[in-house]
Amino acid sequence: MDFLAPSTWAEALAAKAERPDALPVAGGTDVMVELNFDHRRPDALLDLTRVPELREWAWDDGRIRLGAGVTYARVIAELGDRLPGLAMAARTVGSPQIRNRGTVGGNLGAASPAGDSHPALLAADAVVEIASAARGTREVPVAEFFTGVKRNALAPDELIAAVLVAPPAGPQQFCKIGTRNAMVIAVSAFGFALHPDRKEVGTGVGSAAPTPRRADAAAAFLAGELEAAGLWESRAALPDGLAAEFGRRVRDAAAPIDDVRGTAAYRLHTLSVMARRAATWAWDEHRRAA
Amino acid sequence: MTSTETRNVGKIGDSPLRPDGTLKVTGEFAYSSDLWHDDMCWGVTLRSPHPHARIHSIDVSAALATPGVYAVLTHADVPGLNRVGLEHLDQPALAEDVVRYQGEPVALVAADHPETARRAAKRIVVDYEELPALTDPRRALDDDAPLVQPGGNLVRELAIRRGDPAPTAPVVVALDFEVGMQDQAFLGPESGLAVPDGEGGLDLYVATQWLHVDQQQVCRVLDLPPDRARLHLAGVGGAFGGREDLSMHVHACLLAMHTGKPVKMSYSREESFFGHVHRHPAWLRYEFGATEGGRLIYAKADILFDGGAYASSTTAVVGNGGTLGLGPYDIPSVHVDARGVYTNNPPCGAMRGFGCVQAAFAHEALMDELAERVGVDPVEIRALNGMREGDRNITGQLIDSAAPVAELIRTVRDLPLPPPPDDRPDIRDLPGGASNTTHGEGVVRGIGYAVTYKNVGFSEGFDDYSTARVRLEIVGGEPVATVHTAAAEVGQGLITVEQQICRTELGVDRVVVHPKNTMVGSGGSTSASRQTYVTGGAVKAACEAVRESVLALSARRLGVSGLRLDGDKIVSASGEVLAVLAEVLADEAVEETVEWHHRPTYPVDPETGQGDAHVQYAFSAHRAVVDVDVELGLVKVVALDTAQDVGRAINPDAVVGQIQGGSAQGMGLALMEEIVVTDGKVRNPSFTDYLIPTILDMPPMQVKVLEYADPHAPYGVRGVGEPPTISSGPAVAAAIRAATGKALRRVPVRPEHITL
């Protein structure tokens, strides 16, 4: 197995162009497990940990540009106020050791339906910045990034450069079900964002379909009800049953399976509860912020 | 393992620091997986992918042709009897014509690198014909069930009959319960190093629980006399019963003998799940008859243990499940049937709590049911029915030392309760923790209680003993004791206990613990909560023999009789100090070896199950307080408090450590720990999906240690390690039932059992 260790972003892109079979490795919290289990034996590994550009985050034209190599620990420590949903998700990732290694870019690269970042990024309408040596950069909305179980929109010569996220205009929430109180892979997860600036609602459903996905119909329903009742302006309390109905519609957006971590029925049930609770918490926070 | 010497003064009742403690928490302890030998090669095991299959042929040629490979072995290469097993020799060291469970060892490879060996193992071509698999133990004894073993699918059946054969009662409660398959989940996977001695024998360095029984098994398969296969204890990363059976022992030795090279084997975490036995899953049907006031009149139990493909310790587990399966209660009439059967599921055997864990979930759930039916609270119904010293248990054995059931359960009840849930709690204190699933919504608190009793030591007539060699000599002008036993230190703190006993008996400060190996007689198994009792008893007896010899020597040298030892001083009958040890011993060493047996036990009557089956009983009680998010089914254990009678705490810190660890392990079974087996295949052989409690799942504990000395045991000790694992889980399950109002007749309790 070849081990490619570029020290600049340009070198990394060149290496990926030359060796499209090379498997990128960031924190290694997924890739190394697969190698150790002998589930995967790529001909080459492309180590991205020496590329300084990936470790940066900065403001970029009104958005946070989060380098693909920024760890969960830094998201929590440095971006908790600017990327609140993603930081909440980051707090649920593994153990402190894993959070020190694992990166949001790596999570996107692995594209697991259970990836903790994904529901938060979906709810926040994040955009993935993708680059190649041949074609430069392109932006893909995260909702279009996941193309199948552990598959994503990257071409063989492309790498994930960054994630672009607008700062929150309203409250965000993230909830995750696991069968112990720490260090679990999500049985199901839900990301939620209120966008009062454009009177919209963002959602993200994890571990409950072949890919992470949004619950667009549920989001449109809730945004519409808020609009119809004039609540975006009045910030009055949610009408009885609205959050619960939103929860049911989120559940309807999911297509989970039974597996060793939980049943499909339980996953659906938890999505309806998490969505109801998350919407309620976010709305209450929105009201308090008035 | 190197010898251990500490100079911390610490006699029995003190808590001297354990020598391995700092090394373990700083990552410097040498575990068996750290063993290394120049010129060693690596062994790996090819295992069956099928739960039940016939082997038509094994073609090793491609594997053998792999560069770097030294040997590829199958059953045809076994020089001795190709059978292993703790109680029945029913398991091939390497499969012959049939495999009976997924993961059964089929072939071995030795190579210059573990990766080379793994690649080569994949090139072994085994022609399997899959056979119908028996995977539901409830069907094992049906006429049309596939036969797992040639002699039939029953491992053991035990009937216990006592009192009125057809009892009636005004109040009758009954339930069915099911317990999932728990894993020992020790942190140090199976590993060891076999080193040929160039003279036809070898040395095996291995992490194990009982060196001598391993030695017997290794020698039988290798066709070697015991003095040609010497076993040495390597650093053990936890055991909990999972190292009683052989894992890589014989395999590494076969490869070492075949190649003439040192061979190391070290399982991955995934292989570890296939490399040791698990706790028996159980199906239990219980019925209690009682007075209107809740006093038990009779109890019936039908208990089925899934033994998996090979017997391992199933015979003894059935013994425990039957003889102890109704809990620490005084019950006039009893009807118990316990069975263990073969299936094509993973083999099950010893695990901390050994047959009592499964039964306790059922009898404690039913005791709560009875309490509710008759309107007595859960604590008082246990106090009312609890065993007392002088009672006879369900096998008719006299309980001839303390049996403080009522005191234990009332003690945990009276411990302070945790504060009620906060109005604005930190989410990390709520069910789900940082996963942010509730801010208090749906959270209901529940409290549950449980009691247990557990036998200590080996039972039913087994001659259970340990051997200790103690040497006293003067080194650098100072008396030094050296204690040599083969009793395995698996993390429980036996080394410290051996030193404490030597200091107490011989008045020396310096005690060297000799490396554990088979060059001294058997120490028996580090299991059944028995080592402080039995090896402690042997060390005490050996020290006493040394002391007698020293005094006899002193009497000869000083020409005075009636001497005694006071610290390191030789004192006359009148109290005059006549000499110090250093003067009397000079350059002479006094050494004594003692084989020490505990009180005999007896087989139970085959018809009635009556008899003095056990040597000692240990009692504990737990109170669990849980917060349950009843809408999501998530649980946070808020408090897990316990009281336990330990007879005499030799090392109080170690006692509390055992109780904390055991409680966590029992809680794990109640909440999350299960090997999920579908159609004979393990679905979660990893710590990603086999979940054990983390520090965020385990609450702080209040531990009340009672010390009612057992007059029949050395220093009055009572085994400590297992009871906490038995009563903690049922208390947690009871607390969840109290919070949710759900019956919850299966553990682990999964979230969907609460919500759906």
Side-chain angles (χ1 to χ4, degrees), chain A residues 237-257:
Chain A
L238 290 180
D240 281 353
L242 178 58
E245 180 58 26
F246 169 67
R248 281 190 285 275
R249 288 172 188 240
V250 167
R251 179 190 61 194
D252 292 345
I257 55 167

Side-chain angles (χ1 to χ4, degrees), chain B residues 104-193:
Chain B
E104 179 160 355
V106 173
L108 306 169
V109 178
D112 55 8
H113 189 279
E115 186 68 21
T116 310
R118 278 192 288 270
R119 302 262 142 176
K122 287 183 180 171
R123 298 197 178 110
I124 299 171
V125 181
V126 184
D127 180 10
Y128 290 108
E129 176 196 344
E130 285 192 67
L131 299 172
L134 171 65
T135 57
D136 184 348
R138 291 165 294 187
R139 289 200 51 234
L141 303 179
D142 291 355
D143 291 339
D144 60 346
L147 213 53
V148 178
Q149 291 283 351
N153 291 339
L154 181 67
V155 183
R156 185 183 182 187
E157 188 167 31
L158 173 62
I160 297 177
R161 305 285 185 267
R162 184 169 173 79
D164 184 348
T168 58
V171 178
V172 176
V173 290
L175 57 66
D176 289 327
F177 209 97
E178 190 179 328
V179 178
M181 183 186 290
Q182 189 179 22
D183 189 65
Q184 296 84 355
F186 42 68
L187 293 183
E190 294 83 345
S191 45
L193 176 69

